[in-house]
Amino acid sequence: MDHGLASLSLRAYGASPGSHVHDHAQVLLGLHGALALEVDGRGHLVGPGQGLLLPAGARHDFEAAQGARCLVLDSRHPGWRGLGPLHAPPAAAHGLARYLAEALAAGLPRAQLWGPALVQELFQPPAHARRAQRAIDWIALGDWALARADHPTSVAELAARVHLSGSQLAARCRAELGQPLMHWLRGLRLDEARRLRGQGLAVAEVARRCGYRSPSALTTALRRTGR
């Protein structure tokens, strides 16, 4: 099941200010120049060797007074939900951005195939921080939950997938994703419902696949969240 639609591109930014709101996550890796951004009222700067994750739904104004060039990842993968804005480690971001930019310019197909996963790794905790506790692969856990979305999924079942207790998983979700566990799960299912509706599936079929008791319940949930 492909929930992680993602693409890499090279983009140039100029002196004219711009403003965007995306319904997907976006990662900027600086290559040349300096790109100034204001994300939900907070200032950020992306220059060579710097990386910034822009979460879905975050309004960002941007300007590059002297011009700037960035490697950009646009991704709808549910694993980005609840994260950001986050900065990537400069040394790793610089080397990866330069490599992927050259690979894209050369038309190497593996840049698009493997590049998004490599960019994602930039925003994972460093190895010394992960030794204290087992890392949770939120993307894999979300994919597992979505694959069985037509069945009720309990906190205990989710926790068992990552070898934790229910309370441990709930605490980790709040700490790492910034939201309650079941809110995270509902968000994934709503994103999946929107994706299926976009493919033209009937509301009743989407409701069945995504675990809603009726088409009206799904319609209400989508309307309430503006999805």
Side-chain angles (χ1 to χ4, degrees):
M1 200 182 299
D2 183 10
H3 307 292
L5 299 178
S7 64
L8 288 170
S9 60
L10 295 171
R11 298 184 194 173
Y13 298 87
S16 298
S19 181
H20 283 306
V21 177
H22 302 140
D23 62 357
H24 58 270
Q26 186 176 82
V27 175
L28 302 169
L29 300 180
L31 293 166
H32 303 289
L35 178 63
L37 300 102
E38 183 176 295
V39 185
D40 287 339
R42 297 190 62 182
H44 301 268
L45 186 69
V46 177
Q50 297 175 316
L52 177 67
L53 165 63
L54 301 171
R59 174 168 293 280
H60 50 285
D61 302 313
F62 54 91
E63 183 177 11
Q66 304 300 320
R69 192 162 172 260
C70 295
L71 177 75
V72 180
L73 169 68
D74 292 299
S75 177
R76 297 183 183 279
H77 201 294
W80 294 110
R81 264 183 86 85
L83 300 179
L86 295 175
H87 291 267
H94 196 199
L96 180 59
R98 289 178 60 187
Y99 167 73
L100 290 175
E102 292 174 2
L104 286 174
L108 300 180
R110 290 187 181 180
Q112 286 289 359
L113 183 62
W114 300 111
L118 294 174
V119 172
Q120 180 194 335
E121 287 188 355
L122 290 176
F123 295 89
Q124 293 179 347
H128 66 79
R130 294 197 300 265
R131 281 197 291 268
Q133 57 186 4
R134 183 193 300 270
I136 297 174
D137 188 337
W138 292 103
I139 292 176
L141 185 62
D143 284 346
W144 176 82
L146 287 175
R148 61 189 311 278
D150 55 340
H151 301 286
T153 301
S154 68
V155 171
E157 288 175 311
L158 289 168
R161 293 289 301 179
V162 292
H163 310 289
L164 294 173
S165 69
S167 60
Q168 288 174 325
L169 180 61
R172 292 281 295 276
C173 188
R174 284 186 177 275
E176 298 177 20
L177 302 186
Q179 58 186 311
L181 182 63
M182 299 313 287
H183 286 195
W184 168 75
L185 182 59
R186 281 197 294 273
L188 295 186
R189 290 182 171 179
L190 282 169
D191 284 345
E192 175 68 354
R194 183 177 62 174
R195 187 182 74 85
L196 293 174
R197 285 290 292 144
Q199 293 180 347
L201 267 69
V203 175
E205 176 61 15
V206 173
R208 185 191 67 78
R209 291 193 189 188
C210 295
Y212 286 85
R213 64 181 181 275
S214 67
S216 61
L218 171 60
T219 301
T220 299
L222 290 171
R223 185 183 302 115
R224 184 186 307 123
T225 58
R227 295 177 182 277

